């Protein structure tokens, strides 16, 4: 995340993945920890935020509308990932450009999914002798 922050000139505080890390590593069997929810939730929420900021501008009420619409969009697409609810807020408040969807959001979501897969299959499974495992449904 730090590398993406430096490369994209996006402040590290604006990269919304801290609670996603807690979700996918701490509760790997929960629905919001599935890769579909993790990746899709962040992408859907960011797209909603980008559409709202481009239509309404970086105003506080638009940020609130974007978060609400992102929540609905995640439910409709089956990608509900509560930590991704911060994405549209970050996008609108900071008036982010479309590149924010790719770097850092898209790439970071893919990297976190890969790391969570490795963590849950190597580290956790070895420690618990198979009790933890990956989420029940990955997609």
């Amino acid at each position: 995340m730090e590398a993406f922050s430096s490369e994209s000139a996006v402040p590290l505080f604006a990269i919304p993945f801290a609670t996603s890390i807690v979700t996918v590593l701490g509760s790997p069997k929960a629905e919001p920890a599935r890769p579909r929810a993790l990746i899709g939730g962040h992408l859907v929420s960011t797209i909603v935020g980008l559409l709202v900021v481009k239509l309404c501008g970086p105003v506080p009420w638009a940020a609130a509308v974007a978060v609400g619409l992102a929540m609905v969009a995640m439910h409709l697409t089956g990608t509900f990932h509560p930590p991704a609810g911060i994405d549209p807020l970050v996008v609108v408040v900071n008036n982010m450009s479309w590149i924010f969807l790719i770097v850092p959001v898209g790439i970071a979501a893919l990297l976190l999914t890969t790391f969570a897969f490795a963590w849950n299959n190597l580290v956790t499974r070895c420690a618990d002798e198979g009790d933890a495992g990956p989420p029940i449904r990955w997609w």
Side-chain angles (χ1 to χ4, degrees):
M1 303 297 169
E2 179 69 36
F4 290 136
S5 176
S6 297
E7 287 295 316
S8 64
V10 174
L12 188 59
F13 71 84
I15 301 177
F17 282 89
T19 52
S20 290
I21 294 167
V22 171
T23 301
V24 300
L25 298 182
S27 299
K29 293 184 180 182
E31 288 287 319
R34 295 181 303 151
R36 175 186 174 101
L38 171 64
I39 297 167
H42 279 289
L43 293 178
V44 166
S45 292
T46 301
I47 289 169
V48 168
L50 288 164
L51 290 171
V52 170
V53 78
K54 299 311 173 202
L55 292 171
C56 304
V59 293
W61 65 265
V65 167
V67 171
L69 290 174
M71 185 174 62
V72 171
M74 284 189 288
H75 274 294
L76 291 175
T77 58
T79 59
F80 190 70
H81 182 70
I86 194 70
D87 295 8
L89 179 71
V90 168
V91 167
V92 174
V93 168
N94 295 296
N95 197 18
M96 296 296 194
S97 69
W98 283 97
I99 194 67
F100 187 75
L101 179 64
I102 308 295
V103 178
V105 174
I107 293 173
L110 289 172
L111 286 174
L112 179 54
T113 300
T114 303
F115 179 78
F117 179 80
W119 178 266
N120 288 310
N121 281 295
L122 300 173
V123 177
T124 307
R125 183 167 283 174
C126 290
D128 296 337
E129 296 181 15
D131 288 341
I136 294 168
R137 283 190 344 221
W138 274 87
W139 191 253

